[in-house]
């Protein structure tokens, strides 16, 4: 939507969310890899509003930190005591000036809302939606998004007259048994004329069973004074359903997961063998012809190149993966992999790892903060940390770069075309020259020059008949024991 210079968005996020039974503020509970409020903010910003205010309260430090790091253009407004949704909106009044035309209010606990619904509501509020003859109708004083739902329990009900005009909103706790039967519910998403909103909030009273200042109560007062209030039905009720407990949180997460996966499959050409078991964050970029297998999590700012195979059972956080790489049963964090890599099964790739093309990191291998050159292989049971490795290197099974001496991390440098025999300990700081070979079982504490063979182990001694003698001795001991 083009910039709406006079539109202000207020997101209500101060509530404790008692029904979550948690010490984390409700809107900071996660859906996939992001707190619930991220999804609301993201859709809100698509409208290009002049400003976005977020009302914070319970656990405000945690929420404000998140806003500061992720949405620094949003403005947190502290509501010290959570005295109700009307009281929460009134917190932003101190910023109100005559540039504000419309105030859109969004609950921070409705993460499934889509910007299209908000845009349509805004257009409706401006009176253009029904102006079939093209004439400009008078604005509404308020447009609120409602929804017809099968089980309206817990929601505010929209009470209407015979002409389908709103009379008031009544909350579950204050509703009569007749009113409880109403299936049209309040989504808590509204667009108000700014002046009208603050005028009516001034006189709001906590006349209800919870003794809270309900934003919903101003609707009845406005209608009594002949203000025009319009209800705008959301096409998809899921979009406006609020998350008030952990069951609703898990349902919302499932819907978000489906939305993201469907988009990837239908618009990005990504295959998923079982999308119900694939979890992708909404900042992730996946190129076409990628296949994602079950039990896979791709989160953070990850990017997956064309033709990769990810999973089964892969976890990627903030990783960049080159084309045609395959990752099976592995955990990767803040790593950048080249093209045609083969990772896993059972590999752990930690932050700062950068691989070139055609690298293999195999079973039970851990790589941390290391560079691995083109065509190099770390196939089995190995730890590589704080290492710079050249091209065409082969690391034998069970080898370790002993990067930590108990006090500091030290660096290992391995040149090109190096062969490290199995069970080698490289004790850094140490450098292995180009074309060098390190014999299996060596503990390398000194640099190895180019093309040298390094071997550090005791010479082998074969005692002829020694095994036979040993067994005979053991048999005698065993028989003595049995005769006791
Ligand atoms: C609210 C609506 C209800 C609607 C439902 C839709 C009211 C009185 N009721 O009920 O009509 O059907 O949403 O989901 O508005 N908040 C604050 N400060 C407060 C109180 C609440 O910031 O003092 C925030 C909460 O953090 C939450 C939002 O406002 O994000 C809504 O509050 P909540 O307690 O969830 O209201 P509901 O009972 O869901
Ligand atoms: Mg709610």
């Amino acid at each position: 939507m083009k910039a709406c210079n006079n539109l202000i968005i207020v997101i209500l996020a101060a509530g404790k969310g008692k029904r979550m039974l948690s010490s984390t503020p409700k809107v900071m509970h996660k859906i996939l890899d992001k707190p619930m409020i991220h999804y609301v903010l993201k859709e809100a910003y698509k409208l290009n509003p002049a400003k976005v205010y977020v009302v914070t309260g319970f656990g405000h430090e945690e929420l404000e930190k998140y806003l500061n790091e992720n949405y620094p253009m949003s403005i947190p407004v502290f509501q010290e005591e959570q005295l109700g949704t009307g009281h929460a909106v009134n917190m932003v009044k101190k910023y109100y000036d005559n540039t504000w035309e419309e105030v859109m209010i969004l609950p921070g606990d409705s993460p499934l809302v889509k910007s299209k619904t908000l845009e349509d509501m805004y257009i409706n509020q401006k009176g253009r939606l029904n102006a079939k003859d093209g004439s400009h109708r008078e604005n509404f004083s308020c447009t609120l998004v409602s929804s017809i739902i099968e089980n309206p329990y817990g929601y505010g009900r929209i009470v209407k007259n015979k002409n389908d005009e709103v009379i008031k909103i009544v909350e579950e706790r204050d509703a009569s048994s007749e009113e409880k039967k109403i299936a049209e519910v309040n989504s808590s998403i509204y667009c108000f004329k700014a002046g009208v909103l603050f005028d009516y909030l001034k006189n709001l009273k906590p006349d209800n069973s919870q003794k809270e200042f309900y934003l919903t109560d101003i609707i009845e007062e406005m209608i009594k004074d002949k203000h025009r209030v319009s209800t705008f039905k959301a096409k998809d009720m899921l979009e406006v359903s609020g998350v008030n407990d952990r069951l609703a949180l898990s349902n919302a997460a499932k819907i978000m997961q489906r939305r993201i996966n469907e988009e990837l499959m239908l618009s990005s050409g990504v295959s998923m063998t079982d999308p119900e078991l694939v979890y992708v964050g909404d900042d992730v970029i996946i190129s076409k012809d990628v296949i994602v297998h079950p039990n896979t999590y791709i989160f953070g700012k990850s990017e997956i190149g064309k033709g990769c195979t990810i999973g089964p059972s892969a976890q990627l956080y903030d990783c960049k993966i080159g084309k045609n790489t395959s990752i099976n049963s592995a955990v990767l964090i803040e790593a950048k992999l080249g093209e045609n890599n083969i990772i896993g099964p059972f590999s752990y790739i930690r932050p700062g790892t950068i691989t070139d093309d055609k690298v293999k990191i195999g079973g039970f291998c851990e790589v941390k903060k290391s560079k691995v050159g083109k065509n190099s292989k770390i196939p089995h049971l190995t730890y590589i940390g704080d290492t710079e490795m050249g091209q065409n290197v082969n690391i034998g099974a069970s080898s370790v770069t002993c990067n930590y001496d108990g006090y500091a991390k030290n660096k290992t440098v391995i040149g090109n075309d190096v062969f490290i025999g199995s069970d080698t300990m490289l004790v850094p700081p140490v450098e292995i020259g180009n074309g060098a070979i390190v014999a299996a079982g060596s503990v390398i504490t000194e640099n190895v020059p180019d093309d040298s063979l390094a071997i550090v182990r005791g010479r082998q001694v074969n005692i002829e008949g020694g095994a036979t003698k040993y067994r005979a001795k053991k048999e005698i001991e065993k028989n003595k024991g049995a005769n006791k």
Side-chain angles (χ1 to χ4, degrees):
M1 201 157 103
K2 69 176 196 317
C4 296
N5 295 333
N6 307 317
L7 172 66
I8 300 295
I9 297 186
V10 178
I11 300 176
L12 304 183
K16 178 167 194 254
K18 281 178 222 135
R19 291 160 277 183
M20 297 298 282
L21 310 175
S22 173
S23 44
T24 300
K26 176 159 70 170
V27 299
M28 288 302 289
H29 281 267
K30 282 192 174 166
I31 287 190
L32 298 167
D33 58 342
K34 307 232 168 32
M36 212 191 292
I37 195 156
H38 153 80
Y39 300 93
V40 183
L41 282 156
K42 191 177 164 195
E43 296 306 298
Y45 273 107
K46 286 186 188 163
L47 271 71
N48 277 315
K51 287 203 171 85
V52 174
Y53 294 93
V54 180
V55 182
T56 69
F58 176 79
H60 67 107
E61 298 92 346
E62 188 179 343
L63 175 55
E64 282 160 13
K65 183 170 179 283
Y66 174 79
L67 293 173
N68 190 31
E69 285 168 5
N70 296 279
Y71 290 91
M73 57 292 203
S74 67
I75 306 159
V77 183
F78 183 48
Q79 183 195 21
E80 195 165 3
E81 271 184 289
Q82 287 77 62
L83 301 179
T85 46
H87 181 258
V89 175
N90 216 18
M91 291 292 113
V92 301
K93 191 181 176 183
K94 54 178 176 274
Y95 299 98
Y96 171 46
D97 64 40
N98 57 13
T99 62
W100 295 23
E101 268 177 24
E102 248 73 33
V103 177
M104 191 177 283
I105 295 167
L106 308 177
D109 65 349
S110 296
L112 298 173
V113 69
K114 289 184 186 162
S115 63
K116 176 77 174 74
T117 304
L118 304 180
E119 260 182 61
D120 289 349
M121 169 179 70
Y122 181 69
I123 293 167
N124 180 75
Q125 164 74 3
K126 288 293 208 178
R128 272 176 247 141
L129 206 65
N130 300 320
K132 291 193 182 103
D133 59 356
S135 64
H136 189 78
R137 283 176 43 170
E138 192 198 336
N139 290 5
F140 288 105
S141 294
C142 172
T143 300
L144 62 93
V145 178
S146 69
S147 184
I148 308 278
I149 62 175
E150 221 170 88
N151 176 14
Y153 178 80
Y155 287 92
R157 312 296 205 285
I158 313 276
V159 183
K160 287 182 163 173
N161 64 18
K162 285 190 215 95
N163 302 329
D164 203 36
E165 292 159 346
V166 193
I167 304 170
K168 61 175 180 174
I169 300 173
V170 58
E171 293 303 305
E172 174 78 34
R173 287 163 179 258
D174 306 300
S176 65
S177 54
E178 271 311 298
E179 287 166 336
K180 280 183 182 156
K181 289 183 195 149
I182 298 172
E184 186 173 1
V185 301
N186 171 29
S187 68
S188 241
I189 297 171
Y190 324 76
C191 197
F192 283 93
K193 260 189 193 162
V196 178
L197 171 67
F198 292 116
D199 248 11
Y200 280 83
L201 283 176
K202 229 172 19 208
N203 303 321
L204 191 58
K205 295 196 176 59
D207 289 338
N208 49 61
S209 63
Q210 294 216 88
K211 300 279 168 277
E212 283 188 2
F213 294 89
Y214 285 168
L215 177 60
T216 42
D217 284 351
I218 70 171
I219 302 291
E220 187 177 5
E221 297 307 313
M222 284 167 60
I223 289 164
K224 276 187 197 155
D225 294 341
K226 304 274 181 276
H227 279 285
R228 297 177 68 223
V229 173
S230 157
T231 52
F232 180 82
K233 283 204 190 73
K235 287 185 192 79
D236 181 358
M237 68 125 313
L238 288 173
E239 240 194 88
V240 295
S241 49
V243 170
N244 290 320
D245 56 36
R246 290 180 194 252
L247 179 60
L249 179 72
S250 73
N251 290 335
K254 200 72 206 159
I255 293 159
M256 190 61 75
Q257 176 197 5
R258 284 189 189 131
R259 267 192 202 171
I260 292 171
N261 289 354
E262 279 174 26
E263 174 81 17
L264 286 167
M265 289 188 283
L266 300 176
S267 308
S268 302
V270 174
S271 279
M272 294 186 183
T273 40
D274 185 349
E276 287 292 293
L277 295 173
V278 169
Y279 305 84
V280 180
D282 80 341
D283 282 341
V284 171
I285 298 169
I286 308 187
S287 304
K288 68 177 170 191
D289 291 323
V290 168
I291 300 175
V292 188
H293 291 302
N295 294 328
T296 290
Y297 300 76
I298 310 176
F299 284 160
K301 296 218 180 297
S302 293
E303 277 178 43
I304 314 292
K306 211 171 143 189
C308 288
T309 302
I310 312 292
S313 302
Q315 295 176 40
L316 283 76
Y317 306 91
D318 294 307
C319 290
K320 283 204 166 53
I321 312 296
K323 278 188 258 173
N324 300 319
T325 283
S326 87
I327 299 174
N328 175 4
S329 309
V331 177
L332 293 88
I333 305 165
E334 294 166 37
K336 187 168 180 283
L337 305 191
E339 297 178 8
N340 293 294
N341 280 205
I342 298 173
I343 309 296
F346 313 114
S347 318
Y348 182 22
I349 317 281
R350 294 171 49 199
T353 298
I354 300 174
T355 68
D356 206 324
D357 299 343
K358 293 189 178 168
V359 165
K360 178 179 168 55
I361 300 174
F364 305 100
C365 291
E366 177 175 337
V367 181
K368 186 220 98 176
K369 205 178 172 188
S370 294
K371 278 194 181 138
V372 183
K374 194 168 176 177
N375 213 25
S376 288
K377 294 181 174 52
I378 309 167
H380 330 273
L381 305 157
T382 288
Y383 172 69
I384 299 291
D386 302 296
T387 297
E388 219 166 277
M389 190 186 298
Q391 303 184 356
N392 303 315
V393 172
N394 191 89
I395 307 282
S398 301
S399 294
V400 174
T401 54
C402 312
N403 60 330
Y404 186 52
D405 60 14
Y407 293 89
K409 298 282 167 63
N410 299 297
K411 191 169 170 183
T412 302
V413 178
I414 302 172
N416 297 326
D417 306 304
V418 168
F419 181 90
I420 305 283
S422 294
D423 201 27
T424 293
M425 301 291 124
L426 299 171
V427 184
V430 72
E431 287 186 32
I432 315 296
N434 292 329
I437 295 176
V438 175
S442 296
V443 178
I444 301 293
T445 53
E446 287 167 28
N447 292 350
V448 180
D450 289 358
D451 297 313
S452 299
L453 169 69
I455 177 161
V456 191
R457 60 187 183 216
R459 274 199 178 277
Q460 185 170 333
V461 179
N462 290 338
I463 300 167
E464 222 173 292
T468 317
K469 279 188 201 156
Y470 172 80
R471 279 195 292 271
K473 187 178 150 209
K474 285 291 177 194
E475 283 301 316
I476 292 166
E477 282 172 13
K478 198 167 103 186
N479 293 336
K480 268 190 195 160
N483 293 337
K484 262 190 191 163

